[in-house]
Amino acid sequence: MSARRWTEADLKTLDPRPLTQVATTAHALLRKRQTLESRYLQGLQLIGAAHLFEREARFHDTRKWRFDFLCRNLGIAIEIHGGTFAAGRHTRGRGFGEDRRKMNAAALMGITVLEFDGPMVRSGEAIRVTEDALSQAGWEGRA
């Protein structure tokens, strides 16, 4: 197998920042995402619902798709989208399309997917909406 030959068009698509800066930015986004998920988990603990959810749970038999949080018993999944204002994976072409396939598959399986961004998690809106969804699905409150 021969090495790939880079064209001028290929080189123009590369990120012009030094590799260390790109890696630092990616690491910061990952850290922010983990912080958002941790904050959301704290909210679940406050309302007494953390025990209902699995973290990073696979839901599909043939695809490796995961939800950030999944309550299998009530059919509710949570997706926390970090980096929505930084042209992250969820807001760009291919990643956006793959997310739609994942959400469509979940809908066909009867899973309600609640999607939240950073401001929604930080303001408490994500937990309020989750608590409403849990109640509508039959959850009777704190265990």
Side-chain angles (χ1 to χ4, degrees), residues 32 36 39 80-85 116-128:
K32 189 172 193 174
L36 290 173
R39 186 175 237 169
I80 309 289
H81 299 295
T84 53
F85 297 103
F116 304 113
D117 65 4
M120 296 167 88
V121 172
R122 287 188 287 275
S123 71
E125 178 183 355
I127 289 300
R128 287 191 298 275

Side-chain angles (χ1 to χ4, degrees), residues 52-53 71-77 110-112 133-135 137-140:
L52 299 173
F53 289 89
C71 176
R72 290 185 196 277
N73 293 341
L74 299 177
I76 297 174
I111 299 171
T112 299
L134 290 170
S135 295
W139 182 59
E140 296 181 5

Side-chain angles (χ1 to χ4, degrees), residues 35-109:
T35 301
L36 290 173
E37 289 179 8
S38 298
R39 186 175 237 169
Y40 181 80
L41 180 58
Q42 288 173 341
L44 286 177
Q45 291 166 341
L46 284 172
I47 65 169
H51 68 284
L52 299 173
F53 289 89
E54 299 171 51
R55 290 191 68 183
E56 292 296 323
R58 286 184 63 180
F59 73 97
H60 198 275
D61 291 336
T62 59
R63 300 292 301 259
K64 293 182 180 180
W65 287 324
R66 297 175 186 270
F67 286 119
D68 295 325
F69 296 89
L70 176 62
C71 176
R72 290 185 196 277
N73 293 341
L74 299 177
I76 297 174
I78 308 299
E79 279 288 279
I80 309 289
H81 299 295
T84 53
F85 297 103
R89 178 203 179 292
H90 300 287
T91 60
R92 290 181 298 175
R94 185 172 177 196
F96 184 82
E98 281 301 309
D99 277 356
R100 302 296 60 80
R101 287 180 186 88
K102 175 180 166 179
M103 297 309 147
N104 290 342
L108 291 172
M109 295 170 70

